[in-house]
């Protein structure tokens, strides 16, 4: 399909429109313009130069041309549930080791998108994050949401050993440290 391409210096030339793609921030179009290139043996030959362009900045329709048959990629519209819930937080949790700062073994579990979480830390699964938070000297960061359903009701994040008959908050026997 012919399309008018606006060059950086304001000139307009007729090129070809090959495809349209919808992005979250708008549309881009794959257009080409005819140009020349030098060959290895010193000759000049015509070629087509293709580029993705924002139509509002660089393209204008040719009068009388229908673009209905141009291949078009559209973004799937969000489901009703996604529209209501909004964007999802990244899944997973990361562990921040505080041992070097405090001199004793301590760690904090952060949501993956927490601003205080260490960068480039490996992601933990739900079970790994709960195990890490259940360890002695460990806990969840207060300024971020804890892993869903990991905090029991009434605000106690880690029950005392007496309340769990020596078992951790997930009902597992607490790990005992071996001496010597």
């Amino acid at each position: 399909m012919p399309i008018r391409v606006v060059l950086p210096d304001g000139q307009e030339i007729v090129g070809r429109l090959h495809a349209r793609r919808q992005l979250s921030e708008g549309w881009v179009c794959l257009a080409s313009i005819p140009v020349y290139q030098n060959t290895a043996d010193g000759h000049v030959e015509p070629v087509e130069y293709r580029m993705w362009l924002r139509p509002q900045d660089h393209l204008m329709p040719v009068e009388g041309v229908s673009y209905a048959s141009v291949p078009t990629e559209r973004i799937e519209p969000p489901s009703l549930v996604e529209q209501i819930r909004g964007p999802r937080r990244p899944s997973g949790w990361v562990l921040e080791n505080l041992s070097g700062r405090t001199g004793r073994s301590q760690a904090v579990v952060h949501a993956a998108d927490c601003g205080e979480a260490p960068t480039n830390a490996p992601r933990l699964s739900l079970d790994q994050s709960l195990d890490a938070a259940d360890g002695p000297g460990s806990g969840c960061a207060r300024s971020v949401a804890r892993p869903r359903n990991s905090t029991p009701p009434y605000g106690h994040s880690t029950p005392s050993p007496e309340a769990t008959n020596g078992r951790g908050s997930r009902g597992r026997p607490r790990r005992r440290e071996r001496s010597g």
Side-chain angles (χ1 to χ4, degrees), residues 3-180:
I3 189 96
R4 291 192 334 230
V5 179
V6 180
L7 299 177
D9 65 359
Q11 293 181 67
E12 291 179 19
I13 63 172
V14 176
R16 295 191 50 79
L17 180 62
H18 301 276
R20 298 179 286 199
R21 181 178 292 160
Q22 185 181 22
L23 304 175
S24 60
E25 62 273 0
W27 288 87
V28 292
C29 295
L30 180 61
S32 65
I33 56 173
V35 294
Y36 292 104
Q37 82 174 9
N38 295 335
T39 63
D41 61 0
H43 293 89
V44 176
E45 65 183 5
V47 294
E48 184 179 68
Y49 181 75
R50 290 184 178 213
M51 65 229 127
W52 287 97
L53 299 169
R54 293 177 8 154
Q56 67 272 21
D57 297 336
H58 307 287
L59 300 174
M60 296 190 319
V62 172
E63 192 173 323
V65 174
S66 170
Y67 297 100
S69 64
V70 174
T72 303
E73 296 176 36
R74 294 185 184 275
I75 294 176
E76 284 289 322
S79 71
L80 181 59
V81 171
E82 291 170 329
Q83 290 176 27
I84 293 170
R85 290 177 74 189
R88 293 190 59 158
R89 293 179 67 179
S91 64
W93 297 270
V94 295
L95 185 64
E96 179 181 16
N97 184 352
L98 302 177
S99 297
R101 294 187 203 167
T102 63
R104 55 181 208 238
S105 180
Q106 287 187 331
V108 175
V109 176
H110 294 271
D113 62 345
C114 174
E116 297 176 17
T119 56
N120 300 323
R123 295 262 171 106
L124 302 175
S125 69
L126 176 61
D127 284 338
Q128 291 170 322
S129 66
L130 290 172
D131 285 343
D134 197 31
S138 298
C140 294
R142 294 187 192 281
S143 62
V144 298
R146 292 187 169 104
R148 282 183 200 231
N149 300 324
S150 69
T151 305
Y154 314 116
H156 300 288
S157 61
T158 306
S160 68
E162 297 79 30
T164 59
N165 295 324
R167 295 182 173 273
S169 61
R170 298 186 61 221
R172 296 181 182 166
R174 288 195 180 270
R175 293 185 188 117
R176 300 190 194 283
E177 298 199 15
R178 296 181 183 182
S179 57

